[in-house]
Amino acid sequence: MARRVGMEVSIAAAETVALLDVDVVAAYPITPQTHIVEHLSELVADGQLDAEFVPVESEHSAMSVCVGAAAAGARTFTSTSSQGYALMVEICYIASSLRLPIVMALANRSMSAPISIWNDHADMMLARDTGWIQTVAENGQEVVDLIMHAYRVAEDHRVLLPVIVNLDGFILTHMIEPIQLPTKEEVQAYVPPYKPLLRLDPDNPVTIGPVGVPEVYTEAKKAQDEAIKNAKPVILEAWDEFEKIFGRKYKPIETYKAEDAEIILVTVGSISETAMRAVDRMRAHGKRVGLARIRLFRPFPVEEFVDAVRGAKLIGVVERALGFNGYTGPLCAELKSVLFDNGLNPYVWNFIAGLGGRDVTVEDFEEMAECLEVKANKNEPMGYEIVNARE
Amino acid sequence: MGAAAEALKDFKGFSMKNLPREEPLSPGHRACQGCAEILSLRLALKAIGKNVIVASATGCMEIVTTPYPQTAWRVPWIHVAFENAAAVISGVEAAYKAMTRKGKMEKKDVVFVAYGGDGGTADIGLQALSGALERGHNFVYLCLDNEAYMNTGIQRSSATPYGAMTTTSPPGKKSIGQATWKKNVPAIAAAHDIPYVATASPAYPIDLMNKAKKASLVPGPAYVHIFCACPTGWRHDSSIAIEVARMAVATNVFPLYEVIDGQWKLSRKNPKPKPVKEYLKLQRRFRHLTDAEIAKIQQRVNKEWKTLLARCGELEELEKFGEIEQNL
Ligand SMILES: Cc1ncc(C[n+]2csc(CCOP(=O)(O)OP(=O)(O)O)c2C)c(N)n1
Ligand code: SF4
Ligand SMILES: [Mg+2]
């Protein structure tokens, strides 16, 4: 039986990785990810996890070590945040292109400058186009569950792609929460041992990472594009299996009181829990507000999103990153294109909130919903604003 | 006896009679005619044998051996990026260590090799290399030094020698070409206190093969820095690459030595060194140099040779060199 424990989320993440019997961990310290890898190195030092912990000299090398190890057939793990992610991103593109099932916990943090160790989603957006599968946790239990799910999906021969599990820095990483920690048997029942299709082995030589001449590059990229599209049913299937074993249910777009909602707020990550409180309060005042929370970010669950927001006249996209394109945030731009493709034409306003660790409160969500109504009533041209910013 | 010396005590060395027949790197690749870089890589791998996994940095040797769907590699080979071959091989080695220990893989005697050009080693890859050497992974690093970024069209690196013409150190009214002295990467590798460091040259193929083999036999990290004449970048005829390489040793421009368990050991004494001019004049990358500049280079080469002799404890040689130095 699973153990119910009160545990810091980072520690729980590391314990989960250990239960998964990873072979190689390579990581470099950066706040707010540090507790995850500190605890993993403790587990290795105490002999509770039989793995090579490679204390690399940079995140660039962390990802490079994971690539080498995964190509040799090992189960690998790394974790980082913001600047560290930016430093490794060159190799992240290569990890997905080489179809290596590496799993990373990305403890979301803002990007410099100014340097800020606090939480937003700039790093998640930096990972957006790298070809990794990305899921997002809203609380500690989900971090544990999504890490298990990540390995199950990544190593499936129908997928063979790396996975990022996003968890908000500090708000999740440093929080002590009640968590159901699975047993080794449960984990093993859910995630079978990794069997690589190809690996670096002198008895069966392969050339990995050759030059892609123009005659083949397009086809190589097309194959990779197919791979991430084909990953979606496997991701869903793995969540169904998860529910059977653990009883907890996950969906690519999670909704909250959205069925009859006229106004839908879209959220990503831990602020969703605050947003749910706000929805309850607004509902108590008779406002038909609901939520659509993005659980699966890559590949993007188009149908599920469209189903979730189909009935809404007003949509407020609350996101924790800027796009610097002069017209909208990166997530909102994408959602608008999904709406357009599917013939939906609601009024959409983009709220950029919670940058660099600024709290987004229940009252903030109430104000956003209000503001959305006012703008729609005035028929203001759709656009974005950075909420709660001083002049 | 140090760990490296202990591991090497039964190694008899190669000779013309017992050269391995296997060719882990096969013919049919696309290197330029007369390329000493591909020759060096081939010889090193011949010596190490086929129980090997190779990680390549981006550069000439990556490009010319693997234009998909062709590959010149008969052994497992991986290329990831320009600056991280040492980190990639660290991961491969760590994976083998963990998985054989855990019984997920049968135990095999595999040699882990990473290689990079001078750019991939002395410049952009220096950090990853230093990290891998310091962490003590059991691997061989081959630096294939052709003294510039050849793959991208002959740009200078920190291993480009003083005075050389490259496309980013062009000589001009206000420039003599490369304005800095060659970075001493073997000494940097040796400063990590690893079991084995050596310099090698394809002009001395048996010595090169012995050094590559020794690097694979010692426990822990080993670094071999190979001088790779490049007709395309150095602007010499493709038929004289080996002559150029031999002249680099004869003039003390590129001396051959080993550092075993921290002990520096000269591979070839050079009682009658030739003037550096003999080496420089073979290559058009140096043709703009005036006698005054050549004298400056000679002085620097002399100084470095004396430092090396002292490090190797060759005090007699040092004394003899002192007597002839001014004639060079
Ligand atoms: C991060 C990055 N920067 C730059 C390049 C472009 N690049 C590819 S190979 C190369 C030069 C390689 O020079 P060197 O390492 O000396 O190898 P050589 O081709 O001379 O054998 C450069 C600059 C790259 N591929 N990646
Ligand atoms: S450019 Fe130089 S190093 Fe590159 S393949 Fe040609 S000769 Fe060899
Ligand atoms: Mg070079």
Side-chain angles (χ1 to χ4, degrees):
Chain A
M1 271 290 286
R3 268 192 307 144
R4 194 175 150 83
V5 292
M7 201 179 249
E8 190 190 281
V9 173
S10 289
I11 307 296
E15 291 282 342
T16 309
V17 171
L19 287 167
L20 282 150
D21 191 32
V22 298
D23 303 306
V24 176
V25 178
Y28 190 82
I30 182 167
T31 305
Q33 150 269 33
T34 31
H35 291 182
I36 300 177
V37 295
E38 282 172 6
H39 191 61
L40 275 168
S41 63
E42 275 166 26
L43 292 172
V44 172
D46 289 342
Q48 292 180 53
L49 168 60
D50 188 0
E52 286 296 305
F53 184 91
V54 187
V56 281
E57 82 301 330
S58 72
E59 289 86 353
H60 194 282
S61 284
M63 187 44 57
S64 303
V65 165
C66 287
V67 165
R75 183 174 280 175
T76 59
F77 177 79
T78 190
S79 181
T80 190
S81 298
S82 83
Q83 304 311 115
Y85 183 75
L87 188 59
M88 66 163 66
V89 77
E90 183 203 19
I91 309 305
C92 293
Y93 277 86
I94 300 169
S96 56
S97 306
L98 295 182
R99 307 285 303 275
L100 298 170
I102 298 161
V103 172
M104 174 189 330
L106 187 58
N108 303 117
R109 160 179 159 179
S110 49
M111 294 290 304
S112 297
I115 189 165
S116 152
I117 58 172
W118 293 278
N119 170 225
D120 70 29
H121 290 164
D123 50 9
M124 190 193 302
M125 291 304 137
L126 182 55
R128 193 182 61 164
D129 302 339
T130 56
W132 286 51
I133 293 167
Q134 283 199 69
T135 57
V136 188
E138 295 175 356
N139 59 44
Q141 186 65 56
E142 295 180 359
V143 172
V144 168
D145 296 353
L146 291 178
I147 288 174
M148 287 190 271
H149 175 257
Y151 281 99
R152 165 139 179 165
V153 169
E155 295 171 357
D156 190 305
H157 284 192
R158 295 167 292 171
V159 177
L160 290 176
L161 285 170
V163 181
I164 286 175
V165 175
N166 287 286
L167 67 156
D168 283 316
F170 291 114
I171 295 170
L172 292 186
T173 55
H174 287 53
M175 209 52 75
I176 294 173
E177 293 193 11
I179 286 170
Q180 300 269 359
L181 210 58
T183 62
K184 195 148 202 146
E185 290 68 38
E186 285 170 329
V187 174
Q188 281 169 355
Y190 183 57
V191 188
Y194 173 39
K195 292 213 170 51
L197 259 188
L198 284 178
R199 61 183 201 85
L200 294 166
D201 175 6
D203 292 335
N204 182 21
V206 284
T207 290
I208 300 179
V211 182
V213 291
E215 290 75 13
V216 300
Y217 184 87
T218 302
E219 286 68 26
K221 288 290 125 178
K222 183 168 183 234
Q224 187 184 345
D225 188 50
E226 293 293 323
I228 195 150
K229 283 197 277 184
N230 294 340
K232 192 177 153 201
V234 182
I235 293 167
L236 303 187
E237 180 190 300
W239 273 329
D240 288 344
E241 272 307 303
F242 189 89
E243 192 187 358
K244 282 186 204 145
I245 298 180
F246 298 98
R248 291 183 292 276
K249 188 173 176 63
Y250 288 93
K251 291 190 291 185
I253 300 292
E254 307 278 6
T255 52
Y256 186 68
K257 303 195 172 167
E259 294 69 32
D260 64 340
E262 282 176 356
I263 302 175
I264 285 189
L265 297 178
V266 180
T267 54
V268 185
S270 62
I271 59 167
S272 305
E273 301 214 325
T274 318
M276 285 189 252
R277 297 273 312 275
V279 165
D280 289 343
R281 273 177 39 175
M282 290 186 276
R283 286 262 171 186
H285 290 102
K287 217 181 242 181
R288 276 158 65 189
V289 187
L291 274 188
R293 297 128 58 202
I294 293 174
R295 157 92 57 227
L296 177 64
F297 180 45
R298 285 291 177 270
F300 192 77
V302 171
E303 299 95 67
E304 290 84 351
F305 179 74
V306 170
D307 282 349
V309 303
R310 194 183 296 283
K313 295 197 184 72
L314 277 58
I315 295 180
V317 178
V318 186
E319 67 178 307
R320 311 189 64 178
L322 273 162
F324 300 110
N325 56 16
Y327 70 94
T328 181
L331 177 65
C332 190
E334 184 162 332
L335 298 184
K336 279 180 176 168
S337 119
V338 168
L339 294 170
F340 182 84
D341 286 351
N342 288 277
L344 299 183
N345 196 14
Y347 184 85
V348 181
W349 190 259
N350 187 195
F351 299 98
I352 311 286
L355 297 184
R358 182 154 307 174
D359 282 340
V360 188
T361 62
V362 172
E363 291 73 26
D364 289 334
F365 282 110
E366 287 173 332
E367 273 169 37
M368 286 186 237
E370 183 118 15
C371 165
L372 180 59
E373 281 184 302
V374 172
K375 283 186 191 293
N377 286 340
K378 283 202 279 188
N379 226 344
E380 240 183 68
M382 292 191 255
Y384 75 105
E385 72 186 54
I386 302 175
V387 300
N388 280 341
R390 289 185 299 275
E391 287 304 315
Chain B
M1 203 185 278
E6 177 70 34
L8 297 176
K9 69 181 191 311
D10 297 327
F11 177 60
K12 301 279 181 297
F14 293 109
S15 73
M16 289 310 281
K17 293 209 183 89
N18 69 353
L19 290 183
R21 289 193 168 270
E22 57 211 25
E23 298 284 0
L25 176 53
S26 75
H29 52 72
R30 301 183 184 187
C32 310
Q33 233 178 32
C35 172
E37 187 160 305
I38 196 93
L39 174 63
S40 303
L41 186 56
R42 177 187 152 213
L43 292 173
L45 283 157
K46 240 174 124 59
I48 292 169
K50 62 180 195 299
N51 276 330
V52 72
I53 295 175
V54 182
S56 172
T58 311
C60 275
M61 293 305 100
E62 167 253 336
I63 298 287
V64 303
T65 58
T66 65
Y68 185 89
Q70 298 174 328
T71 178
W73 292 94
R74 292 172 175 153
V75 290
W77 178 94
I78 182 169
H79 160 252
V80 180
F82 185 18
E83 64 285 67
N84 66 350
V88 171
I89 207 72
S90 301
V92 177
E93 186 250 16
Y96 265 75
K97 223 165 142 183
M99 293 175 75
T100 50
R101 186 175 64 226
K102 295 165 84 169
K104 290 189 182 180
M105 197 194 266
E106 64 186 278
K107 203 162 168 52
K108 286 182 192 170
D109 225 355
V110 182
V111 181
F112 303 99
V113 175
Y115 69 81
D118 49 297
T121 306
D123 292 344
I124 200 165
L126 189 61
Q127 173 181 321
L129 173 62
S130 176
L133 296 179
E134 168 273 323
R135 291 190 301 270
H137 296 279
N138 188 18
F139 77 114
V140 177
Y141 191 93
L142 305 172
C143 172
L144 305 166
D145 182 6
N146 56 15
E147 303 195 318
Y149 299 157
M150 295 310 175
N151 180 49
T152 37
I154 328 175
Q155 295 85 20
R156 64 85 72 180
S157 78
S158 62
T160 301
Y162 178 85
M165 170 186 71
T166 71
T167 54
T168 53
S169 64
K173 285 198 186 105
K174 300 196 169 173
S175 161
I176 56 111
Q178 172 87 339
T180 52
W181 299 97
K182 186 180 178 74
K183 189 189 277 186
N184 190 344
V185 187
I188 294 172
H192 288 75
D193 206 13
I194 57 175
Y196 189 79
V197 174
T199 62
S201 163
Y204 298 91
I206 301 287
D207 181 67
L208 186 157
M209 289 178 70
N210 284 339
K211 285 171 173 167
K213 187 73 185 179
K214 287 181 181 176
S216 74
L217 291 173
V218 299
Y223 175 90
V224 184
H225 193 105
I226 311 180
F227 185 83
C228 301
C230 163
T232 309
W234 296 7
R235 310 271 187 221
H236 61 70
D237 196 87
S238 55
S239 64
I240 65 162
I242 298 303
E243 195 180 325
V244 170
R246 194 177 302 119
M247 196 58 93
V249 177
T251 54
N252 292 333
V253 164
F254 190 84
L256 301 181
Y257 58 88
E258 291 173 296
V259 188
I260 305 178
D261 295 319
Q263 299 287 331
W264 291 63
K265 186 168 165 279
L266 205 59
S267 306
R268 296 184 69 83
K269 294 182 183 171
N270 195 7
K272 293 200 183 96
K274 294 202 158 72
V276 293
K277 191 170 186 169
E278 301 284 307
Y279 166 71
L280 300 175
K281 75 178 186 197
L282 294 174
Q283 307 160 61
R284 277 178 291 148
R285 64 173 171 157
F286 295 117
R287 73 171 162 188
H288 56 281
L289 294 181
T290 60
D291 284 345
E293 289 296 345
I294 291 173
K296 209 162 139 186
I297 294 171
Q298 182 72 62
Q299 266 181 21
R300 173 84 180 198
V301 167
N302 291 353
K303 183 183 128 220
E304 286 184 350
W305 176 245
K306 286 187 285 187
T307 306
L308 180 65
L309 289 176
R311 273 179 172 159
C312 294
E314 298 282 358
L315 302 181
E316 219 169 283
E317 293 297 308
L318 192 57
E319 198 170 316
K320 281 193 231 157
F321 184 71
E323 287 158 22
I324 57 163
E325 177 180 11
Q326 58 281 13
N327 308 333
L328 287 168

